[in-house]
């Protein structure tokens, strides 16, 4: 018995992680699970302790950019990314990779990098409209007026080399295709501890994935407009934090609360394994041109309640 006291470390880590991920999946699907917040925190800590989390080393850089409280919050609340089965692209650092050749990953299940070794990456932008920071934030050009006052906004931006909803389909394949694709997920932290979440979906935001908003996820003009008119593509998209970003295949449109079966998810990246990079300094000096406006040229960069992402 004494010789077995140190056994099972890897197995125990794996078991607890599997249970934690399963609990997060149920929460993402709208099931209330006692202790879900604890499960997420436990999974995060286990990943770091086991040196499995590529993003664990980001915290000093995030703290340097945003201060200890916000930096730690940014790291802790990065959602788990679930990729629709059949999709290939993973979000990468555009400064290192701007093609599907280096940005695609074919491995199923847990994924933390592309086949070419590029880390799954999200860029971070913070808009702090809380009382002690609003004046400085507005001096930098952001809008903290009205309903924005008192809130802290964290934007996680993901970059893909292209958007190809109907990739490989003759004739129709050109529909919805464009080079460069900026998507992501945004959080809004309230003064009483409440946290709201919304995911980008082309020119607007989605919260709950459902057949009603398929048109907006596909980014096919008439379908998207019809979806919006029917309420499937809400203007502001906010809902309670789910801890999930479900990414539709090809278009990379996002949803925060997904009504899906687990077999619809081909790959996933826990939030702690997403490499996070502060975007403010990059934005200030970048001269890179994109087919789609980068985050720092979007209206929502300065107005965190904007209902548009173009």
């Amino acid at each position: 018995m004494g010789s077995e006291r140190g056994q099972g470390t890897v197995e125990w880590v794996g078991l607890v992680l599997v249970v934690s991920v399963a609990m997060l999946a149920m929460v993402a699907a709208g099931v209330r699970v006692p202790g879900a917040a604890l499960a997420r925190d436990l999974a995060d800590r286990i990943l770091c302790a086991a040196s499995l989390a590529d993003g664990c080393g980001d915290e000093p850089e995030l703290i340097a950019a945003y201060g200890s409280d916000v930096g730690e919050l940014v790291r802790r609340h990065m959602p788990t990314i679930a990729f629709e089965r059949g999709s290939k692209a993973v979000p990468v650092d555009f400064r290192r990779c701007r093609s599907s050749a280096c940005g695609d990953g074919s491995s199923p299940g847990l994924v933390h990098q592309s086949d070419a070794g590029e880390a799954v990456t999200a860029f971070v932008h913070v808009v702090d409209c809380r009382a002690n920071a609003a004046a400085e934030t507005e001096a930098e050009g952001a809008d903290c007026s009205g309903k924005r006052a008192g809130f802290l906004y964290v934007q996680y931006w993901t970059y893909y080399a292209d958007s190809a909803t109907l990739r490989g389909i003759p004739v129709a394949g050109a529909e919805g295709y464009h080079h460069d694709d900026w998507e992501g997920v945004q959080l809004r932290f309230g003064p009483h501890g409440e946290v709201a979440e919304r995911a980008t979906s082309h020119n607007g935001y989605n919260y709950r994935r459902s057949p009603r908003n398929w048109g907006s996820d596909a980014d096919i003009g008439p379908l998207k407009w019809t979806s919006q008119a029917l309420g499937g593509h809400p203007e502001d998209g906010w809902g309670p934090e789910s801890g999930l970003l479900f990414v539709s295949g090809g278009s990379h449109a996002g949803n925060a609360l997904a009504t899906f079966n687990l077999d619809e998810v081909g790959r996933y990246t826990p939030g702690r394994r997403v490499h996070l990079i502060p975007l403010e300094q990059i934005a200030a000096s970048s001269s890179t041109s994109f087919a789609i406006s980068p985050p720092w040229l979007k209206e929502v960069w300065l107005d965190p309640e904007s209902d548009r992402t173009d």
Side-chain angles (χ1 to χ4, degrees):
M1 291 290 289
S3 64
E4 295 180 359
R5 289 178 183 173
Q7 290 184 358
T9 301
V10 174
E11 292 85 350
W12 177 248
V13 168
L15 176 60
V16 176
L17 182 56
V18 167
V19 172
S20 300
V21 170
M23 291 182 73
L24 287 177
M26 287 188 287
V27 171
V31 179
R32 292 190 175 276
V33 181
L38 176 61
R40 182 195 304 177
D41 188 60
L42 182 60
D44 287 349
R45 293 176 184 275
I46 290 173
L47 281 168
C48 286
S51 299
L52 294 173
D54 302 80
C56 290
D58 300 337
E59 205 157 282
E61 185 178 1
L62 296 170
I63 290 174
Y66 307 119
S68 58
D69 290 344
V70 176
E72 292 173 3
L73 179 148
V74 166
R75 177 67 275 174
R76 186 167 64 252
H77 283 266
M78 171 65 210
T80 290
I81 305 177
F83 300 93
E84 187 174 19
R85 183 173 297 279
S87 64
K88 294 182 178 180
V90 297
V92 295
D93 185 342
F94 71 88
R95 298 169 300 176
R96 296 172 48 88
C97 172
R98 294 189 66 182
S99 73
S100 58
C102 56
D104 281 3
S106 57
S107 300
L110 178 66
V111 59
H112 64 100
Q113 62 182 19
S114 70
D115 289 344
E118 296 295 331
V120 173
T121 299
F123 293 91
V124 180
H125 174 51
V126 170
V127 181
D128 195 344
C129 290
R130 295 175 299 178
N132 60 343
E136 181 178 350
T137 300
E138 289 188 318
E140 295 173 351
D143 184 357
C144 284
S145 65
K147 61 182 179 181
R148 304 162 192 80
F151 289 92
L152 171 70
Y153 297 86
V154 177
Q155 301 174 355
Y156 299 94
W157 291 98
T158 50
Y159 172 82
Y160 302 87
D162 59 24
S163 177
T165 305
L166 304 176
R167 188 196 302 271
I169 298 178
V171 182
E175 288 292 333
Y177 178 86
H178 57 75
H179 292 290
D180 301 314
D181 194 23
W182 285 99
E183 297 288 357
V185 62
Q186 299 172 9
L187 300 181
R188 180 179 65 194
F189 296 84
H192 304 295
E194 67 277 19
V195 185
E197 181 178 348
R198 65 179 182 176
T200 68
S201 182
H202 305 294
N203 295 338
Y205 295 92
N206 278 340
Y207 179 71
R208 179 186 294 272
R209 178 175 179 259
S210 74
R212 293 201 316 165
N213 63 14
W214 180 84
S216 64
D217 288 353
D219 194 27
I220 299 175
L223 293 177
K224 181 168 63 176
W225 303 327
T226 302
S227 174
Q228 258 185 291
L230 295 175
H233 187 196
E235 290 186 355
D236 59 11
W238 292 111
E241 180 184 24
S242 69
L244 176 79
L245 170 61
F246 181 84
V247 179
S248 297
S251 73
H252 314 127
N255 292 275
L257 188 63
T259 52
F260 59 82
N261 297 319
L262 289 180
D263 61 5
E264 293 183 53
V265 177
R267 301 166 299 151
Y268 67 95
T269 306
R272 271 287 180 180
R273 301 205 69 173
V274 179
H275 181 40
L276 298 182
I277 302 175
L279 189 53
E280 287 81 3
Q281 289 300 315
I282 296 174
S285 59
S286 178
S287 58
T288 305
S289 60
F290 299 92
I292 299 298
S293 297
W296 55 91
L297 296 182
K298 297 179 185 292
E299 182 178 291
V300 73
W301 180 264
L302 295 177
D303 178 5
E305 287 287 348
S306 172
D307 60 9
R308 300 190 62 81
T309 64
D310 54 356

